[in-house]
Amino acid sequence: MPELVGGGVLGLLAGYLKVRFGTSEVISTVMLNYIVIYILAYLLDGGPWMESGLTVAYHQSSPVNPLLEWPILLGQGSGKMHIGFILALAAAAFCAVLLERTSLGYEIRAFGSNPTALRFRGTNIRRLLLVVMLMSGALAGLAGAGELFGASHRLRAETLLGIGSSGIVVAMVGGLRPSGVMLAALFFGALKSGAIYMRLKSGTPAGLVSAMEGLVLLFFLCAAVATKLQLVRIEEKVHA
């Protein structure tokens, strides 16, 4: 579908900036998010994609064709679960098999731990990075398709705000593993969904969820560092 192609192209662009100029993929993808947001704002605010018939400027497109909406599995209204959940599970399973059972997955894991050794092994590091960024962008495009055709049913520029930073937090808390990322994504998704009702029922500040995300990530990183320090101390005792 076009969303996978568009996401793959953007991921490939970030990968090219990395291999050509050494630009951090985190910085380049975050900056590309803002470029995409401003392009969407131009297209949706009085542009060709703006919903017809609006008397005031509002950044949204017309609703998608009902025939293109993704099937609903459970629930109704804002609490519905569409087939995108199944696709997300399938994507996580695909990534797990790719990383653990294929030669490409071995190279990806080796690149994350010791790229210098992988280069001496004869692997084309630049090509590997481009492939990884292409697949990552395609998966991001699939997630965007789920938001458009499964949830909101219309395109809004503000939908992209904050997704990149939340994705980094989810990946870190999930231990950079597909299974862990699934659990972490469910946890933080519940936080964000519950924040809407918390504001309506009790007037909870909107920034509370972001603060909780930061605290969870902080405690997780501290626990990881403490675990490593404990292992070092045990090794020192054994050598002593």
Side-chain angles (χ1 to χ4, degrees), residues 17-181:
L17 294 175
K18 174 71 173 181
V19 300
R20 180 65 177 85
F21 303 104
T23 307
S24 170
E25 60 274 18
V26 176
I27 295 176
S28 61
T29 49
V30 169
M31 297 303 292
L32 282 172
N33 284 343
Y34 284 99
I35 294 175
V36 172
I37 288 172
Y38 286 125
I39 291 177
L40 285 177
Y42 167 75
L43 294 173
L44 298 175
D45 185 7
W49 290 3
M50 181 181 177
E51 182 178 5
S52 59
L54 289 180
T55 57
V56 295
Y58 192 72
H59 294 187
Q60 68 179 26
S61 67
S62 300
V64 300
N65 190 328
L67 296 177
L68 298 178
E69 295 180 3
W70 287 7
I72 303 301
L73 300 178
L74 294 172
Q76 58 184 355
S78 60
K80 61 189 176 183
M81 178 187 295
H82 54 79
I83 199 173
F85 181 75
I86 303 298
L87 293 178
L89 294 179
F94 167 78
C95 291
V97 173
L98 175 68
L99 291 174
E100 300 294 337
R101 303 294 182 181
T102 66
S103 58
L104 177 60
Y106 167 79
E107 291 181 343
I108 293 174
R109 289 185 286 113
F111 179 74
S113 59
N114 195 336
T116 302
L118 189 63
R119 185 180 295 109
F120 281 109
R121 178 180 177 270
T123 301
N124 190 326
I125 299 297
R126 293 189 173 189
R127 183 176 61 186
L128 177 63
L129 181 60
L130 291 176
V131 170
V132 171
M133 294 303 296
L134 175 64
M135 292 191 298
S136 300
L139 289 174
L142 178 62
E147 174 65 27
L148 176 61
F149 297 105
S152 62
H153 298 152
R154 64 172 73 238
L155 188 60
R156 297 186 178 95
E158 62 269 16
T159 303
L160 298 175
L161 295 176
I163 293 180
S165 57
S166 297
I168 294 175
V169 174
V170 168
M172 295 298 296
V173 173
L176 303 179
R177 294 181 176 275
S179 57
V181 167

